[in-house]
Amino acid sequence: MSKGEISEFVADLERQGGEPLPDARLVYKTYGALNEDHSNAILFPTRFGGTHEQNEFMIGQGHALDPERYFIIVPNMFGNGVSSSPTNAPAPYGGGGFPDITIYDNVRQQYRLVTDVLGIERFAMAVGWSMGAQQAFQWASLYPDTVPRLACLCGTAKTTDHNRVFLESLRAAIEADSLYQGGHYNAPPLGGLRAVGRIYAGWAYSQDWYRAKGYRALGYETFDDYITGYWDALYKERDANNIMAMTWTWIHNDISANDRFGGDLGAALGAITAKTVLMPCMTDLYFRTADSEDELQHLQSGRLLEIPSIWGHMSAAGQNEPDTQFIDQVLKDLLAS
Amino acid sequence: MSKGEISEFVADLERQGGEPLPDARLVYKTYGALNEDHSNAILFPTRFGGTHEQNEFMIGQGHALDPERYFIIVPNMFGNGVSSSPTNAPAPYGGGGFPDITIYDNVRQQYRLVTDVLGIERFAMAVGWSMGAQQAFQWASLYPDTVPRLACLCGTAKTTDHNRVFLESLRAAIEADSLYQGGHYNAPPLGGLRAVGRIYAGWAYSQDWYRAKGYRALGYETFDDYITGYWDALYKERDANNIMAMTWTWIHNDISANDRFGGDLGAALGAITAKTVLMPCMTDLYFRTADSEDELQHLQSGRLLEIPSIWGHMSAAGQNEPDTQFIDQVLKDLLAS
């Protein structure tokens, strides 16, 4: 479904790391209508490499995120190519000059949009997948009164070492391409992007998925067709600086890395009052159930439900209908609770 | 321990993929002495990126591989920088001109060495880790009369899709570095090598190992010290063409990809008569227990023993003493059986 309204919130973006980014564009799409008492809003931030479009498989009649019933807000994360990003920021902020932006920076700006522009004091729910889950976590920790329900799919409140090593390898692959030139390239560093896609391929899906030749369900007959037709093709079109911006954000994800919590992750998690569902996938290679279990101990009202799938991290990407239905039902139950 | 004799077997290397490599040097090291009836030999091939030196932690008095008792032969795999490799082959075979060599090619040449030069008809055992396990598997399948006991640590008889996607990412990272020049470089492609190390870092150890800050046991206080001090430093010294040669060998590993078995993996495994122990590590990210379980079904006399460790693939690398002792005991039991 693509019906909805695309708007933008333009304002200076305060950054934890330094000077504000002036006139930052926070592009968001909304689905459905806000009800009279402003109580039916759902926040659904975007994930790495995704825009509002990649969230739309979860939105529609019959889904938990039903625009007939809810007002669904999808803010595009900075760096994703739609909101202010290396690919669209004016000089001197475009390309290799794009500033470092944290999850905290993203969420604080989203808060201004939600409260000042949209006039919402309290969501029905915040939900996100992967980097979207990071934003949802940060929201619930910073603004507990705004987030009564929280669903985090395949994402953690703080990036783990093992997750980081994956991200460092993506960045090293781009930096290995001499066309990259520290971000000041004229032609895209296609070799680096190809390597990024092929690294990602080994993490996004599980070993069991490969053993079951899961790529056939994506329409590829052979492993080689899949690698070239899916990953090479996908990353050839992506922008290296956007990837560098988003991986920087991801690496530095830590909902406690701010003045409020001073690095105390337990306190930042403990501040969450939302009814929370943590949903790691049992075969996710970088967001592990064990990580979610650690988080769960600090939550006031949390539970953990594994996504029972061999689709690994991609179980929540809308590629496998049984997983999508499983998640949808959990969200329906959470909204009804 | 480093006592032992280094020798070389020089002969044309027949290759499945084309013309022989003339005067190929198969460098091997032996430990201990062959007994009178030539019954005490153990074959222990090398692994990816390793030479005979990296096998020596398993060899010594008190170990299963005790040179006081056994005659241990460590053949260096082609491409590893010691036996014929891109870094040492004369023109036109050096550097980017190095030919593709399979596990089968390696093992057939080792067989000539073992039978013609060393006069051994039957080992006490063949054992290997990772690519060494691939060679041991191939030995036991092609020459079952020579291999009465077989131990395969963290290695499979055929490279799986999921394992291959990891290898393709290593290769793509090297190819992303324009200094690589298709293998015809003058200066090493250091950016590509750095990326290779950082990709490897995410696969070699498990998520649980990172969660437990296992790098502290390696002498690194922080994650950053570990990434730069271990992986960056290690791969800065490695040769890109050697990596390309060995990953080609690894990708094409399939003990049934030969005239004898015509691609029938079940038949190639079924031809193994050795008492076999398959030892995947329970947290290995690329050689999975499920893969070993599939293999086990075809073996005449096999059993599976998981290495109970968070050290992942590196559990058999000699870095964690409890794992080394666990493996050593299994090998002792196998030799006594």
Side-chain angles (χ1 to χ4, degrees):
Chain A
M1 83 88 70
S2 64
K3 218 173 143 187
E5 299 287 333
I6 296 181
S7 312
E8 64 179 28
F9 171 59
V10 180
D12 293 356
L13 171 67
E14 302 291 327
R15 294 187 313 109
Q16 290 184 292
E19 294 299 306
L21 174 63
D23 295 326
R25 295 174 58 228
L26 170 48
V27 178
Y28 61 100
K29 188 167 177 180
T30 61
Y31 307 80
L34 192 60
N35 62 7
E36 205 168 329
D37 62 359
H38 291 197
S39 65
N40 70 334
I42 291 176
L43 185 86
F44 186 22
T46 60
R47 41 92 160 179
F48 174 85
T51 72
H52 53 264
E53 289 183 24
Q54 277 72 49
N55 279 15
E56 293 187 344
F57 74 94
M58 292 280 287
I59 302 169
Q61 206 175 358
H63 284 282
L65 277 56
D66 183 348
E68 299 291 318
R69 189 165 171 196
Y70 293 102
F71 178 62
I72 300 138
I73 309 159
V74 179
N76 284 277
M77 186 173 68
F78 290 111
N80 82 337
V82 175
S83 285
S84 287
S85 300
T87 41
N88 63 26
Y93 303 106
F98 195 71
D100 297 330
I101 297 173
T102 61
I103 291 289
Y104 178 88
D105 297 334
N106 270 280
V107 167
R108 294 241 299 175
Q109 199 77 342
Q110 290 171 16
Y111 182 78
R112 291 176 62 188
L113 161 67
V114 165
T115 55
D116 297 351
V117 178
L118 301 177
I120 295 164
E121 295 297 325
R122 185 176 171 86
F123 297 130
M125 177 172 72
V127 54
W129 171 52
S130 199
M131 291 192 79
Q134 296 169 7
Q135 295 166 70
F137 255 131
Q138 183 73 82
W139 259 99
S141 174
L142 275 185
Y143 310 112
D145 292 344
T146 313
V147 185
R149 296 178 194 82
L150 171 67
C152 297
L153 312 173
C154 309
T156 54
K158 179 178 178 176
T159 294
T160 63
D161 282 348
H162 188 256
N163 194 327
R164 184 177 159 201
V165 78
F166 155 66
L167 298 165
E168 296 290 355
S169 75
L170 300 180
R171 296 171 67 85
I174 287 174
E175 290 164 350
D177 189 329
S178 62
L179 288 177
Y180 174 61
Q181 296 286 332
H184 303 283
Y185 44 85
N186 296 310
L190 292 176
L193 292 168
R194 174 172 170 270
V196 167
R198 287 172 174 231
I199 298 168
Y200 229 112
W203 290 83
Y205 301 102
S206 76
Q207 302 101 337
D208 292 339
W209 183 87
Y210 279 94
R211 192 174 301 107
K213 299 194 186 301
Y215 46 80
R216 289 185 178 164
L218 295 177
Y220 302 98
E221 264 311 294
T222 68
F223 175 87
D224 289 281
D225 289 347
Y226 153 74
I227 290 293
T228 55
Y230 185 106
W231 291 102
D232 289 357
L234 182 64
Y235 274 84
K236 192 169 59 178
E237 303 299 329
R238 292 207 164 159
D239 178 74
N241 280 323
N242 284 0
I243 292 171
M244 294 302 269
M246 288 184 285
T247 52
W248 191 95
T249 302
W250 187 343
I251 286 171
H252 293 84
N253 166 51
D254 177 355
I255 66 167
S256 72
N258 49 60
D259 291 341
R260 179 91 61 90
F261 299 108
D264 184 341
L265 182 61
L269 286 164
I272 296 173
T273 55
K275 287 181 187 171
T276 300
V277 184
L278 305 182
M279 297 183 73
C281 175
M282 58 171 57
T283 57
D284 192 320
L285 290 172
Y286 40 119
F287 295 101
R288 305 290 293 165
T289 297
D291 299 324
S292 299
E293 284 168 348
D294 288 347
E295 293 168 345
L296 187 65
Q297 297 176 22
H298 299 283
L299 296 177
Q300 296 184 32
S301 177
R303 63 202 172 101
L304 190 155
L305 270 179
E306 273 192 328
I307 303 170
S309 173
I310 64 169
W311 284 68
H313 191 61
M314 298 298 272
S315 58
Q319 294 181 336
N320 187 39
E321 189 55 27
D323 295 336
T324 303
Q325 289 181 12
F326 178 86
I327 293 163
D328 215 40
Q329 187 58 51
V330 174
L331 298 184
K332 284 177 182 172
D333 294 346
L334 180 60
L335 281 166
S337 71
Chain B
M1 83 89 68
S2 63
K3 219 173 143 187
E5 299 287 334
I6 297 180
S7 312
E8 64 179 26
F9 171 59
V10 180
D12 293 356
L13 171 67
E14 302 291 327
R15 295 188 312 109
Q16 290 184 292
E19 293 299 306
L21 174 63
D23 294 327
R25 296 174 58 228
L26 170 48
V27 178
Y28 62 100
K29 188 167 177 179
T30 61
Y31 307 81
L34 191 60
N35 62 8
E36 204 167 331
D37 61 359
H38 291 196
S39 65
N40 70 334
I42 291 176
L43 185 85
F44 186 22
T46 60
R47 40 93 160 179
F48 174 85
T51 72
H52 53 264
E53 289 183 24
Q54 277 72 49
N55 279 14
E56 293 187 344
F57 74 94
M58 292 280 287
I59 302 169
Q61 206 175 358
H63 285 283
L65 277 56
D66 184 347
E68 299 290 319
R69 189 165 172 197
Y70 292 103
F71 178 62
I72 300 138
I73 309 159
V74 179
N76 284 277
M77 186 173 68
F78 290 110
N80 82 337
V82 175
S83 285
S84 287
S85 300
T87 41
N88 63 26
Y93 302 106
F98 195 71
D100 297 330
I101 297 173
T102 61
I103 291 289
Y104 178 88
D105 297 334
N106 270 280
V107 167
R108 294 242 299 174
Q109 199 77 341
Q110 290 170 17
Y111 183 78
R112 292 175 62 187
L113 161 67
V114 165
T115 55
D116 297 351
V117 178
L118 301 176
I120 295 164
E121 296 297 326
R122 185 177 170 86
F123 297 129
M125 177 172 72
V127 53
W129 171 53
S130 199
M131 290 192 79
Q134 296 169 7
Q135 295 166 71
F137 255 131
Q138 182 74 81
W139 259 99
S141 174
L142 275 184
Y143 309 113
D145 292 344
T146 314
V147 185
R149 296 178 193 83
L150 170 67
C152 297
L153 312 173
C154 309
T156 54
K158 179 178 178 176
T159 294
T160 63
D161 282 348
H162 188 255
N163 194 327
R164 184 177 158 200
V165 78
F166 156 65
L167 298 165
E168 295 290 355
S169 75
L170 300 179
R171 296 171 67 85
I174 287 174
E175 290 164 349
D177 190 329
S178 62
L179 288 177
Y180 174 61
Q181 295 285 332
H184 303 283
Y185 45 85
N186 296 309
L190 292 176
L193 292 169
R194 174 172 170 271
V196 167
R198 287 172 174 231
I199 298 168
Y200 229 113
W203 289 83
Y205 300 102
S206 76
Q207 302 101 337
D208 292 339
W209 183 88
Y210 279 93
R211 192 174 301 107
K213 299 194 186 301
Y215 45 80
R216 289 185 179 165
L218 296 177
Y220 302 98
E221 264 311 294
T222 68
F223 175 87
D224 289 280
D225 289 347
Y226 153 74
I227 290 293
T228 55
Y230 185 106
W231 291 102
D232 289 357
L234 181 64
Y235 273 84
K236 192 168 61 179
E237 302 299 328
R238 292 207 164 160
D239 179 74
N241 280 323
N242 284 0
I243 292 171
M244 294 302 269
M246 288 184 285
T247 52
W248 190 95
T249 302
W250 187 343
I251 286 171
H252 293 84
N253 166 51
D254 176 356
I255 65 166
S256 71
N258 48 61
D259 291 341
R260 179 90 61 90
F261 299 108
D264 184 341
L265 183 61
L269 286 164
I272 296 173
T273 55
K275 288 181 187 171
T276 301
V277 184
L278 305 182
M279 297 183 72
C281 175
M282 58 170 57
T283 57
D284 192 319
L285 291 172
Y286 40 118
F287 295 101
R288 305 290 293 165
T289 297
D291 299 323
S292 299
E293 284 168 348
D294 287 347
E295 293 168 345
L296 187 65
Q297 297 176 22
H298 298 283
L299 296 177
Q300 296 185 32
S301 177
R303 63 201 173 101
L304 189 155
L305 271 179
E306 273 192 329
I307 303 170
S309 174
I310 63 169
W311 284 68
H313 191 61
M314 298 298 273
S315 59
Q319 294 181 335
N320 188 39
E321 188 56 26
D323 295 336
T324 303
Q325 289 181 12
F326 177 86
I327 293 163
D328 215 39
Q329 187 58 50
V330 174
L331 298 183
K332 284 177 182 171
D333 294 346
L334 180 60
L335 282 166
S337 71

